[in-house]
Amino acid sequence: MNTKKLVAGMLLIGLCLVSQAQTSKKSTDSDPDNLAKEYFSQIMGVASTAMANTKLYQFVYEWLGTPYRLGGDTKRGIDCSKFSLAVYENVFNTTIGYNSRNQYANVTPIRKNDLQPGDLVFFKIRSRQITHVGIYLGDDKFAHASSSRGVMVSNLTEAYWRRYYYKGGRPEESKTMTANIDTEDDGENLN
């Protein structure tokens, strides 16, 4: 995506939200946390009422557009498992493992219908093993590092993601502290 268009779009949305906050008489609209939720709701396509953890959405927002780089872990380039690891370390102060299969080993599997913002979503893309991971945001949206488009928000109901979706998972406190440190590459090959 063109950086200038992205910045212009963000400014436009920000100005609209500021304008809305200034003209609204509701006391909740003047709450900075609610304004942030509205802003991130517009950017990520998740209902503001589903946004329980503003820190999660702010972290994801700051990484949107970061290019994909296998093994990368900086804003110069990052892969899916390092992105989910960064989210958990920075937002939840928890370590979850260094690749998607290792991360799956450190979660309690949960049904798709029971996903909550911050849960991990796992995919088996053209493989019998887990090859991709993302962070569930709510309203069927998840953030991830796509090999073709970098850090982005996608929808679990899209045909591609529906086809390869494996399971959701919620990190277990006891397992995250003793995570098996396996730095083997995920071997991701996604859209």
Side-chain angles (χ1 to χ4, degrees):
M1 176 180 280
N2 185 337
T3 305
K4 289 180 183 178
K5 287 181 182 177
L6 179 63
V7 170
M10 291 186 302
L11 286 173
L12 180 63
I13 291 170
L15 289 172
C16 290
L17 289 172
V18 168
S19 174
Q20 176 187 1
Q22 291 173 345
T23 59
S24 177
K25 302 282 188 221
K26 294 180 184 176
S27 61
T28 58
D29 286 345
S30 62
D31 179 9
D33 195 44
N34 285 339
L35 288 174
K37 286 180 183 179
E38 280 296 320
Y39 180 71
F40 297 132
S41 171
Q42 295 289 325
I43 299 287
M44 296 178 201
V46 177
S48 61
T49 55
M51 295 186 155
N53 185 339
T54 306
K55 188 175 178 181
L56 169 64
Y57 301 99
Q58 181 175 351
F59 187 85
V60 168
Y61 172 77
E62 291 170 0
W63 282 79
L64 287 175
T66 299
Y68 177 87
R69 192 181 87 199
L70 184 61
D73 62 0
T74 69
K75 288 194 178 177
R76 291 180 57 207
I78 194 162
D79 68 24
C80 69
S81 56
K82 298 300 189 307
F83 176 67
S84 57
L85 175 65
V87 169
Y88 266 83
E89 286 180 341
N90 290 281
V91 175
F92 301 108
N93 200 28
T94 302
T95 299
I96 56 171
Y98 291 90
N99 70 38
S100 56
R101 289 179 299 281
N102 181 258
Q103 290 172 1
Y104 183 73
N106 288 299
V107 300
T108 300
I110 54 175
R111 295 176 343 157
K112 199 176 203 177
N113 293 345
D114 295 330
L115 287 170
Q116 296 176 5
D119 286 341
L120 297 167
V121 287
F122 297 93
F123 303 86
K124 291 183 175 183
I125 301 173
R126 296 180 211 92
S127 175
R128 292 181 184 207
Q129 296 183 16
I130 293 169
T131 59
H132 191 59
V133 61
I135 305 291
Y136 187 72
L137 299 174
D139 290 343
D140 291 322
K141 305 291 191 314
F142 69 102
H144 62 113
S146 163
S147 62
S148 63
R149 296 184 24 213
V151 177
M152 61 183 292
V153 175
S154 295
N155 194 320
L156 288 172
T157 63
E158 292 173 19
Y160 181 86
W161 297 112
R162 226 177 31 240
R163 178 179 181 187
Y164 294 114
Y165 180 82
Y166 177 58
K167 286 186 182 172
R170 192 166 295 140
E172 300 174 11
E173 284 300 317
S174 61
K175 283 190 172 185
T176 56
M177 300 314 235
T178 59
N180 175 18
I181 300 175
D182 180 359
T183 56
E184 177 184 333
D185 291 335
D186 282 348
E188 298 147 359
N189 182 14
L190 5 149
N191 65 340

